[in-house]
Amino acid sequence: LAPVGTVAVNLPPLLEPELRHLVDTLPVGVLVQDATPTIRYVNPRALDLLGMTADQLLGRSILDPHWSV
């Protein structure tokens, strides 16, 4: 799977719960990585698509040569 696009977002703290709910309920998979690129967030649909748990993904690098999906 290839990324569809990259968006940098700096939201006010009050919007975070609403954004989290929106992303958690999207019908598409969303995986958020930081600049290192370590996975920092994955929504439920992404977990379904990848067949993995949050524990298996969070904190891992998407560049890990031992990880293949």
Side-chain angles (χ1 to χ4, degrees), residues 11-19:
L11 294 172
L14 292 176
L15 290 180
E16 187 173 320
E18 288 83 3
L19 178 61

Side-chain angles (χ1 to χ4, degrees), residues 5 8 14 17 19 27 32 34 40 42-43 54-55 57 65-66:
L14 292 176
L19 178 61
V32 177
D34 62 18
R40 297 295 176 198
V42 59
N43 75 345
D55 287 339
L57 290 172
H66 299 101

Side-chain angles (χ1 to χ4, degrees), residues 4 10 16 20 22-24 26 35 41 43-44 47 50 53 69:
V4 174
N10 189 4
E16 187 173 320
R20 173 72 58 125
L22 174 68
V23 175
D24 280 347
L26 285 173
Y41 170 81
N43 75 345
L47 296 174
L50 296 171
T53 66
V69 291

